[in-house]
Amino acid sequence: MRRVVPASSKKDIGAFIDFQHDLYADDPNYVPELFIAQRDLLTPGKHPFHEHSDVQLFLAYDGDKIVGRIAAILNKNHNTFNNVNDGFFGFFDCINDAEVASMLFKEATAWLKQKGAVSIVGPTNFSTNETCGVLITGHDSPPVAMMPYNKAYYSTLLDNLNFQKKVDILAYHFGKSGYNDRVVNLQHALTERLRNRGITIRPVNKKNFNEEAAKIREVYNSAWDRNLGFVPMTKSEFDYLAKDMKMILDTDFCLVAEKDGKFIGFALAIPDINQVLIKIKRGRLLPLGLFKLLFGLKKVNGIRIITLGVIEEYRKAGIEACFYASIINAYRKKNFEYAEASWILEHNDLMNKAIQQINGVPYKRYRIFEKAI
């Protein structure tokens, strides 16, 4: 007998996380999330998202076997900021079965409708500040750090449930060579021009990390405020993320643009820790996963350019180009094999054009879906 039940206990949350490992057990491109990180993210009182918004997890069973999962998400900050009544879904995983998918979305939709939502959008885990989107093309390689991965049939399941495309988001690939050096060759002249305007670009100071992070949050919440689906991060949310980032941060790839002591731009690339996580069975750090993580980080030879933004009044001044040039130089110095720039909205012409000009190749496409309820 098939059924869908709410999941809220510690045991339920553990089963919710582990279902993904079982579903992808034979997929060589699947990268398990760290169990402890997923557990804290999904547990009220552990992650700051739960301080302002509501989440309900659901598990689908066929007899005693779990065959699907979904999270219904009411992101109250998103709705207030954007003046909408959206509901979201996330953490969707399912066997290739239309009935199971329908049952999961029926429960998630009913829960959201009861909360006053008039649409269901996703996947987002929990918002566009975290992993989001269904992988549409690019299933032939593992995801890089903090990017999603899913079975190729997911988009068909959603199409059959009458979901519509809301927007596509792109990931660009750079190889060891082949990128356009023009921006690097112009870096000195651009840096001088910025300096004449009182603007400097420098690595973040890890010794003064908390104060730097607070200034970066201001840039983040300002520079990305017109992105589709954007919601400002609270101080607690940003501090939570920054604490995790600090553990893997390489300051050669974490840059700020500053004028008169004020941060006006920020760029961040992180090591592709998925090279290590893919080897950690079921995301467990104990007993041997911790050693794999610590020693594996030293061998990582790829990065993900995760964030690059400038507040509006300083855009097109050359700051973005200097960020790219600095990251390319650090990438080259470390003799890395690849970089991914992600994610970029398909209609963000300025950013897409900038990446294509340095020969970034779009190689993965993700989709966010929506449906009225």
Side-chain angles (χ1 to χ4, degrees):
M1 179 181 174
R2 289 178 164 178
R3 65 196 190 283
V4 174
V5 298
S8 56
S9 70
K10 185 176 180 179
K11 182 180 179 181
D12 289 340
I13 291 173
F16 188 93
I17 297 168
D18 281 337
F19 169 68
Q20 192 181 44
H21 305 321
D22 296 331
L23 184 66
Y24 293 86
D26 298 322
D27 190 330
N29 292 322
Y30 169 66
V31 180
E33 298 274 6
L34 288 178
F35 181 86
I36 188 171
Q38 287 286 283
R39 183 197 64 196
D40 288 355
L41 179 62
L42 295 168
T43 303
K46 292 282 189 178
H47 191 278
F49 181 84
H50 302 278
E51 294 171 2
H52 58 75
S53 295
D54 298 330
V55 179
Q56 178 60 62
L57 310 181
F58 294 95
L59 286 169
Y61 284 86
D62 189 347
D64 293 331
K65 184 179 181 181
I66 297 174
V67 290
R69 69 174 196 173
I70 198 169
I73 303 158
L74 189 72
N75 188 333
K76 297 177 183 177
N77 280 5
H78 166 89
N79 286 346
T80 299
F81 182 77
N82 292 286
N83 193 29
V84 293
N85 289 309
D86 291 335
F88 291 87
F89 73 92
F91 301 92
F92 170 66
D93 281 294
C94 181
I95 63 172
N96 192 6
D97 188 297
E99 182 187 41
V100 173
S102 178
M103 291 171 64
L104 283 165
F105 277 99
K106 181 180 178 181
E107 293 296 327
T109 300
W111 186 88
L112 289 169
K113 196 169 184 178
Q114 183 187 17
K115 295 282 185 177
V118 298
S119 65
I120 180 168
V121 181
T124 64
N125 302 337
F126 292 118
S127 72
T128 55
N129 293 319
E130 287 86 26
T131 56
C132 60
V134 169
L135 180 63
I136 302 297
T137 60
H139 294 87
D140 56 344
S141 61
V144 301
M146 299 177 67
M147 289 297 286
Y149 179 79
N150 54 261
K151 299 285 190 180
Y153 58 78
Y154 279 26
S155 59
T156 301
L157 290 176
L158 289 164
D159 287 340
N160 290 341
L161 289 168
N162 297 317
F163 275 88
Q164 305 295 316
K165 169 186 167 181
K166 184 175 181 71
V167 69
D168 279 3
I169 50 185
L170 304 174
Y172 288 84
H173 177 79
F174 297 90
K176 189 172 184 178
S177 59
Y179 43 80
N180 192 324
D181 268 353
R182 181 174 179 272
V183 68
V184 175
N185 297 333
L186 290 173
Q187 183 180 16
H188 179 74
L190 288 172
T191 301
E192 284 299 310
R193 189 170 75 181
L194 290 173
R195 188 177 289 120
N196 290 336
R197 294 183 58 185
I199 299 169
T200 57
I201 293 176
R202 63 170 176 83
V204 73
N205 183 355
K206 286 182 79 171
K207 293 181 179 179
N208 195 23
F209 186 75
N210 290 341
E211 184 177 328
E212 301 264 272
K215 293 181 179 180
I216 290 169
R217 183 173 72 91
E218 292 180 13
V219 174
Y220 181 83
N221 284 343
S222 173
W224 282 266
D225 67 346
R226 293 186 181 180
N227 271 359
L228 184 145
F230 176 78
V231 57
M233 295 185 77
T234 67
K235 182 179 184 302
S236 296
E237 287 174 315
F238 199 87
D239 289 349
Y240 188 99
L241 178 62
K243 183 180 178 181
D244 284 347
M245 288 290 186
K246 187 179 180 181
M247 292 188 289
I248 61 170
L249 195 65
D250 181 337
T251 54
D252 287 338
F253 294 118
C254 185
L255 308 168
V256 296
E258 191 173 24
K259 180 176 173 61
D260 301 327
K262 178 185 177 182
F263 286 7
I264 58 174
F266 171 59
L268 172 66
I270 59 172
D272 182 15
I273 59 170
N274 278 9
Q275 290 185 14
V276 184
L277 296 182
I278 200 169
K279 301 174 184 177
I280 298 178
K281 190 173 181 180
R282 301 179 75 80
R284 263 60 171 193
L285 286 177
L286 299 175
L288 300 177
L290 182 59
F291 295 102
K292 289 181 181 179
L293 181 61
L294 293 175
F295 289 106
L297 282 174
K298 300 176 183 178
K299 299 178 181 179
V300 169
N301 62 358
I303 59 169
R304 177 189 168 205
I305 305 168
I306 190 172
T307 293
L308 192 152
V310 177
I311 62 175
E312 188 170 12
E313 64 187 284
Y314 292 98
R315 289 171 191 164
K316 298 184 180 181
I319 297 172
E320 298 93 338
C322 285
F323 279 152
Y324 275 121
S326 296
I327 290 171
I328 289 172
N329 280 327
Y331 171 86
R332 179 184 291 164
K333 180 180 177 182
K334 296 173 191 292
N335 200 30
F336 278 4
E337 294 291 328
Y338 66 88
E340 176 178 299
S342 59
W343 49 262
I344 297 94
L345 291 167
E346 62 178 340
H347 56 253
N348 187 339
D349 296 333
L350 183 65
M351 189 61 69
N352 283 299
K353 185 177 180 180
I355 295 173
Q356 290 164 12
Q357 284 178 340
I358 54 176
N359 294 350
V361 177
Y363 81 124
K364 290 182 186 286
R365 179 179 291 267
Y366 303 83
R367 182 163 296 161
I368 295 177
F369 291 84
E370 66 179 347
K371 184 170 74 169
I373 58 175

